[in-house]
Amino acid sequence: MKTTKRKFSLGVKIASILSCVAVLSVGFASWLIVNVPTETNDTIGSFEVYEVVDNSVTLSYDWGADGAADKDGEGNYTDDATTAAKIIFGKPASGSATNSWLTAGADVQNEQLVSKVKVTVGNYANLTDFTVTLAAPTAYTDLGNKVATPAVRYLNAAGTADADTDGDGKLSKTELDADGVKGTVVVELVFGWGAYFTQGGDIVNPFFFYNNQTYSAALAADASATLGAIRTALNGQTYSVTFACN
């Protein structure tokens, strides 16, 4: 009986040891709290978008500076450019001379030595300056003092005052913004008879130059040769105009 009791006691101890080992290997049991947050929609980011502004410089032309209609709707007043830009070395529109041995035929038009074009410069505040360059053909310059050197004049929008106030041959942004201008100027392209036809200190139309002198065969020959040379050199020729925005 004693032996049996000891075995039982040993068995209990062994079982107790195994139980402790089991507890140590498994660890302590835990309650797990798993909280899933609800879906949220936070407004955090933002957009910054910039407007696109077209500051392109534009040019609109009104040849003749007469307010002609913009027929094509594109801001280019070119409907009367063919006639307004034409330069005519013809007879005087009025006036009389001492003699009348040099006359103009029915097909000779009145002289038109100045061509006008009104130019509107859009967004001129983005410019440094505005320049117009006038170039005559070689045949014109080859005539020497029989014709005047072409010139460009800048006038205010009304065409009544000089817009090139500093006389540098171009219009600055300040000049384009002046009262009476505000981006619109009248550009005059100026041609003329040359110093050859000077009489009484002034350059005059050949009609006056010759008819204010007494007829002679030599003078008639000079008139024929001089006026003939001008016609041969210029009839059908063209000049060019460049509008530059800098």
Side-chain angles (χ1 to χ4, degrees), residues 67-109:
D70 177 16
K71 294 181 178 179
D72 57 10
E74 296 177 353
N76 297 311
Y77 297 85
T78 58
D79 51 310
D80 54 356
T82 301
T83 55
K86 180 181 284 189
I87 298 299
I88 303 172
F89 284 89
K91 62 182 175 62
S94 62
S96 59
T98 304
N99 305 295
S100 58
W101 58 265
L102 177 65
T103 60
D107 58 341
V108 177
Q109 301 179 54

Side-chain angles (χ1 to χ4, degrees), residues 156-208:
N156 62 5
T160 56
D162 189 3
D164 182 15
T165 54
D166 59 9
D168 63 353
K170 57 187 176 182
L171 297 182
S172 66
K173 180 167 57 179
T174 301
E175 289 169 325
L176 284 168
D177 196 41
D179 290 340
V181 177
K182 297 299 181 185
T184 298
V185 296
V186 173
V187 178
E188 290 188 344
L189 312 173
V190 184
F191 296 83
W193 301 104
Y196 185 89
F197 301 104
T198 299
Q199 194 170 71
D202 297 321
I203 297 175
V204 298
N205 186 285
F207 173 85
F208 301 119

Side-chain angles (χ1 to χ4, degrees), residues 114-133:
V114 177
S115 176
K116 295 182 180 181
V117 54
K118 181 177 286 188
V119 183
T120 299
V121 185
N123 289 323
Y124 63 86
N126 298 313
L127 293 178
T128 300
D129 55 58
F130 168 71
T131 307
V132 177
T133 303

Side-chain angles (χ1 to χ4, degrees), residues 1-228:
M1 290 298 290
K2 292 181 180 179
T3 302
T4 303
K5 186 178 180 179
R6 290 177 181 172
K7 288 182 179 179
F8 176 76
S9 177
L10 180 61
V12 170
K13 291 179 179 179
I14 292 172
S16 177
I17 292 170
L18 292 174
S19 176
C20 291
V21 171
V23 170
L24 291 173
S25 64
V26 172
F28 293 100
S30 302
W31 291 100
L32 301 178
I33 300 175
V34 180
N35 177 42
V36 179
T38 59
E39 183 177 310
T40 59
N41 185 4
D42 292 334
T43 302
I44 299 174
S46 64
F47 292 100
E48 186 166 349
V49 182
Y50 298 95
E51 179 185 5
V52 177
V53 179
D54 187 355
N55 280 331
S56 300
V57 175
T58 59
L59 296 177
S60 297
Y61 309 100
D62 172 12
W63 284 96
D66 56 2
D70 177 16
K71 294 181 178 179
D72 57 10
E74 296 177 353
N76 297 311
Y77 297 85
T78 58
D79 51 310
D80 54 356
T82 301
T83 55
K86 180 181 284 189
I87 298 299
I88 303 172
F89 284 89
K91 62 182 175 62
S94 62
S96 59
T98 304
N99 305 295
S100 58
W101 58 265
L102 177 65
T103 60
D107 58 341
V108 177
Q109 301 179 54
N110 291 343
E111 66 179 11
Q112 179 175 289
L113 303 177
V114 177
S115 176
K116 295 182 180 181
V117 54
K118 181 177 286 188
V119 183
T120 299
V121 185
N123 289 323
Y124 63 86
N126 298 313
L127 293 178
T128 300
D129 55 58
F130 168 71
T131 307
V132 177
T133 303
L134 173 60
T138 301
Y140 185 95
T141 56
D142 286 346
L143 286 170
N145 70 347
K146 295 179 177 63
V147 290
T149 302
V152 175
R153 288 202 299 250
Y154 302 92
L155 304 177
N156 62 5
T160 56
D162 189 3
D164 182 15
T165 54
D166 59 9
D168 63 353
K170 57 187 176 182
L171 297 182
S172 66
K173 180 167 57 179
T174 301
E175 289 169 325
L176 284 168
D177 196 41
D179 290 340
V181 177
K182 297 299 181 185
T184 298
V185 296
V186 173
V187 178
E188 290 188 344
L189 312 173
V190 184
F191 296 83
W193 301 104
Y196 185 89
F197 301 104
T198 299
Q199 194 170 71
D202 297 321
I203 297 175
V204 298
N205 186 285
F207 173 85
F208 301 119
F209 178 78
Y210 289 109
N211 281 329
N212 282 332
Q213 301 181 64
T214 302
Y215 172 84
S216 69
L219 193 58
D222 182 84
S224 179
T226 302
L227 297 179

